[in-house]
Amino acid sequence: MVLNQGVVLDRVFRALAHPARRAILQRLSDSEQNLTELAAPLRMSFPAASKHVRVLERAKLVRRRVVGRSHLCRLDAAPLKDAASWIEAYRQQWEGNFQRLDAVLDELKAQRRGRARDDR
Amino acid sequence: MVLNQGVVLDRVFRALAHPARRAILQRLSDSEQNLTELAAPLRMSFPAASKHVRVLERAKLVRRRVVGRSHLCRLDAAPLKDAASWIEAYRQQWEGNFQRLDAVLDELKAQRRGRARDDR
DNA sequence: TTGATTTAGAACCATTTGGTTTAGCTTATC
DNA sequence: GATAAGCTAAACCAAATGGTTCTAAATCAA
């Protein structure tokens, strides 16, 4: 059982709530990169970028392996699964499937009316 | 094209990053409720709960309609679609489809080697 | 009209966030 | 050994978050 599932979701959603961190994740989906490479395009100081990576690490979205003086980061997308399933519960609502379901039910009712008429 | 798409994602992910706000969304997926009803189970003061609803409104996840002294809130799941599609880009990675793809490619290579041997 | 209900808003507070600069520690290179 | 590269840590700051309490306004009900 997952008692602190909520905390995980807190961390993941929080991590995703900053454009710099989403950018980092996107770049890591291509390849492993070290901090300098990650920080380079981020219009902020190196320590600031380093902190963002740390936030992603705490959310378990990034793993780090130290090779010499280089800290290589790689994506771990697993926690995104939890976030996705949470959101997924609302898919029907934004896709308007309820209306579509209504249409299907109307169709079924129409068919039953048709059969009833034929059976007469 | 959506220039401030990022800001929308910021707001949505930020809104989802607090358990109280996720709880509010879940309760609203059942039925429209006013602030008192929403605040009741939230182990915090009414103003605090009210602020959380306001955050959800700014993220366009909740709409409010005032009826007398009652502020009725209803879910608008549409912005969740953007969040879901952003996350969706990583589904392959957490589902390990790359490994599976690797296996498929290995299989193909093996077949080609087989054919090359037969052609000899 | 009086009084209770529902909500907003302001003031306040502690903590977190997101950024900076500076300093220092390893590790590689010359 | 000197110097550069890659990174952490600390100190600092402004602004945002998440909570509180108190006050006040609007609406409903007796």
Side-chain angles (χ1 to χ4, degrees):
Chain A
M1 66 93 232
V2 247
L3 199 126
N4 43 5
Q5 178 73 33
V7 183
V8 174
L9 282 180
D10 288 359
R11 294 230 172 109
V12 172
F13 281 133
R14 190 115 212 9
L16 298 182
H18 195 290
R21 290 191 292 257
R22 289 197 303 275
I24 291 173
L25 291 181
Q26 275 179 339
R27 314 244 318 290
L28 287 182
S29 69
D30 291 333
S31 66
E32 203 175 36
Q33 296 196 341
N34 70 12
L35 288 188
T36 314
E37 291 166 328
L38 286 176
L42 285 191
R43 319 230 304 178
M44 66 181 68
S45 68
F46 179 86
S50 175
K51 283 186 191 176
H52 282 298
V53 172
R54 202 164 281 277
V55 170
L56 291 168
E57 277 187 287
R58 265 182 269 133
K60 315 274 191 196
L61 287 164
V62 161
R63 285 198 212 157
R64 176 190 308 229
R65 109 188 128 90
V66 180
V67 174
R69 61 185 169 182
S70 182
H71 290 208
L72 292 165
C73 298
R74 70 172 196 73
L75 177 66
D76 181 1
L80 290 180
K81 183 179 182 176
D82 301 322
S85 5
W86 192 92
I87 294 183
E88 209 60 22
Y90 297 88
R91 176 177 286 278
Q92 296 181 322
Q93 314 216 16
W94 80 64
E95 281 185 348
N97 275 359
F98 287 158
Q99 286 84 334
R100 234 170 284 158
L101 182 59
D102 280 348
V104 169
L105 291 178
D106 286 341
E107 179 66 20
L108 283 175
K109 273 191 288 186
Q111 285 177 12
R112 289 213 333 220
R113 268 199 304 275
R115 260 189 284 109
R117 184 173 15 82
D118 295 339
D119 291 343
R120 233 186 280 137
Chain B
M1 164 297 75
V2 247
L3 200 127
N4 44 5
Q5 178 74 35
V7 182
V8 174
L9 282 180
D10 288 0
R11 294 231 173 105
V12 172
F13 281 133
R14 189 108 209 17
L16 298 182
H18 195 290
R21 292 191 290 257
R22 289 198 302 276
I24 290 174
L25 290 182
Q26 276 179 338
R27 313 245 318 291
L28 286 182
S29 70
D30 291 334
S31 66
E32 203 176 35
Q33 296 196 341
N34 70 10
L35 289 187
T36 315
E37 292 166 328
L38 285 176
L42 284 190
R43 320 230 305 174
M44 65 182 68
S45 68
F46 178 85
S50 176
K51 283 186 192 178
H52 283 299
V53 173
R54 203 162 280 277
V55 170
L56 291 168
E57 277 186 287
R58 265 182 270 134
K60 314 277 190 194
L61 287 165
V62 161
R63 285 198 212 156
R64 177 190 307 228
R65 109 188 128 92
V66 180
V67 174
R69 60 187 166 180
S70 182
H71 290 209
L72 291 165
C73 299
R74 70 173 195 70
L75 178 66
D76 181 1
L80 290 180
K81 183 180 182 177
D82 301 322
S85 7
W86 192 91
I87 294 181
E88 207 62 21
Y90 297 88
R91 177 176 285 277
Q92 296 181 323
Q93 314 216 17
W94 80 63
E95 281 186 345
N97 276 358
F98 285 158
Q99 286 84 335
R100 238 169 282 157
L101 181 59
D102 279 348
V104 170
L105 290 177
D106 287 341
E107 180 67 20
L108 283 175
K109 275 192 287 186
Q111 285 177 12
R112 290 215 331 224
R113 267 199 304 276
R115 261 188 281 111
R117 181 170 20 77
D118 295 341
D119 293 348
R120 231 184 281 137

